[in-house]
Amino acid sequence: MTALMKDVTQYVEDNIGVFHEKRINSLNTLKLSQVLKRKNPYLFKAKNVMTSEQIVRGIVDAHITSNEETLFGEWLEGLAIFINNKVFNEWKSGIPNIDLEFDKGGTRYVVSIKSGPNWGNSSQIKKMLADFKTAKKALRTTNSQLHVIAVNGCCYGKDNNPDKGDYFKYCGQNFWSFISENDNLYLDVIEPLGHKAHERNEEYQQSYNKIINRFTKDFANEFCKDNGDIDWKKLVTFNSAAHPV
């Protein structure tokens, strides 16, 4: 094991618990009313979803998928910054909305880190481009000759056309290699991520089971008729009425 991977392994072991704690806490603080208001009740009816548990699992699982992607993306950003610091002795950028800033081969790189390649719509990409423009202007205020390149780094996925004109987009292996100068890092980091994953997932599963049971009970009490049928009008009114009764 290389010196870098020893440091990476230690960092993961010291910090992966933060991700697990956040995902468990997100479940424990979840409210049924919050997730019900975010989901389309017409879709459940169209799919012939007929039980409280089916609806509850659908809305909870959708929340979990979205939330965990965000939480783990933030965690991976921290790992990328740590690795880049070890290789280039740099640090998290102090420029607003720029995650990483470092010098390499006489060039200053400003990096916006995202989890995967399909992270944003056109307006969000425009916002990133505006942030890159602001960052370049700020850096050149003190050094007009500074060569600055903007990079959108994605922790997984592929993009076979990295040159976007105003910035470069490096995904997966290309991103990890870019910040570390190690072509195999994208493979090496997968192993330490499983540190104590079994124990953590058992704890998470317990929280998940409890919330499914609790939400199913609450949903049945609030949105089911006395005969057990779902009261669709009451559910749609709660979700969509301009002036709820």
Side-chain angles (χ1 to χ4, degrees):
M1 183 183 293
T2 65
L4 175 61
M5 275 312 301
K6 287 181 180 179
D7 290 335
V8 169
T9 299
Q10 190 61 54
Y11 177 91
V12 172
E13 291 181 1
D14 291 343
N15 292 277
I16 193 64
V18 174
F19 164 68
H20 290 295
E21 287 166 10
K22 285 184 176 181
R23 64 197 285 256
I24 291 172
N25 185 59
S26 176
L27 267 187
N28 291 339
T29 58
L30 196 61
K31 304 295 183 184
L32 177 61
S33 59
Q34 293 174 335
V35 287
L36 273 179
K37 288 179 178 178
R38 298 189 200 122
K39 298 303 292 182
N40 183 349
Y42 304 103
L43 178 61
F44 288 122
K45 183 65 172 177
K47 292 171 64 177
N48 198 37
V49 175
M50 302 305 294
T51 69
S52 299
E53 184 179 356
Q54 282 179 297
I55 289 180
V56 165
R57 284 192 183 275
I59 60 177
V60 170
D61 289 350
H63 167 82
I64 288 171
T65 299
S66 174
N67 186 64
E68 288 188 345
E69 183 78 12
T70 299
L71 290 177
F72 197 62
E74 293 172 352
W75 191 90
L76 278 178
E77 175 190 324
L79 175 61
I81 292 169
F82 171 82
I83 290 171
N84 185 255
N85 172 261
K86 286 293 179 181
V87 176
F88 293 99
N89 195 31
E90 298 295 341
W91 55 90
K92 182 177 175 66
S93 178
I95 302 174
N97 302 315
I98 298 299
D99 299 313
L100 189 60
E101 179 186 341
F102 68 101
D103 294 324
K104 178 180 178 181
T107 296
R108 176 69 54 86
Y109 290 93
V110 290
V111 186
S112 175
I113 303 174
K114 305 297 181 183
S115 181
N118 304 312
W119 59 268
N121 55 36
S122 59
S123 62
Q124 290 171 314
I125 293 173
K126 286 181 180 178
K127 173 63 167 58
M128 181 183 70
L129 289 173
D131 291 335
F132 283 153
K133 185 176 180 180
T134 299
K136 290 179 179 181
K137 184 177 180 180
L139 290 169
R140 287 169 179 157
T141 298
T142 55
N143 183 356
S144 61
Q145 302 303 312
L146 186 64
H147 184 221
V148 183
I149 292 179
V151 173
N152 172 204
C154 302
C155 296
Y156 69 86
K158 297 180 180 181
D159 190 309
N160 295 323
N161 300 291
D163 189 347
K164 305 303 181 185
D166 294 322
Y167 69 101
F168 287 85
K169 184 175 182 178
Y170 297 137
C171 300
Q173 180 182 13
N174 290 335
F175 169 66
W176 292 103
S177 177
F178 164 65
I179 64 169
S180 69
E181 297 193 325
N182 182 337
D183 288 341
N184 293 317
L185 186 66
Y186 81 112
L187 295 173
D188 296 337
V189 296
I190 198 71
E191 186 62 32
L193 290 176
H195 178 68
K196 293 188 175 179
H198 179 71
E199 299 95 314
R200 293 288 188 172
N201 283 330
E202 282 189 344
E203 183 181 357
Y204 182 81
Q205 189 63 43
Q206 290 176 3
S207 295
Y208 175 83
N209 292 339
K210 288 178 182 178
I211 203 167
I212 293 298
N213 289 337
R214 189 171 78 248
F215 279 10
T216 300
K217 178 176 179 291
D218 293 344
F219 183 94
N221 289 338
E222 187 66 26
F223 299 107
C224 286
K225 300 175 183 179
D226 291 341
N227 67 356
D229 288 341
I230 294 173
D231 189 335
W232 289 102
K233 288 186 177 180
K234 189 173 183 181
L235 177 59
V236 173
T237 297
F238 172 80
N239 176 275
S240 301
H243 303 287
V245 179

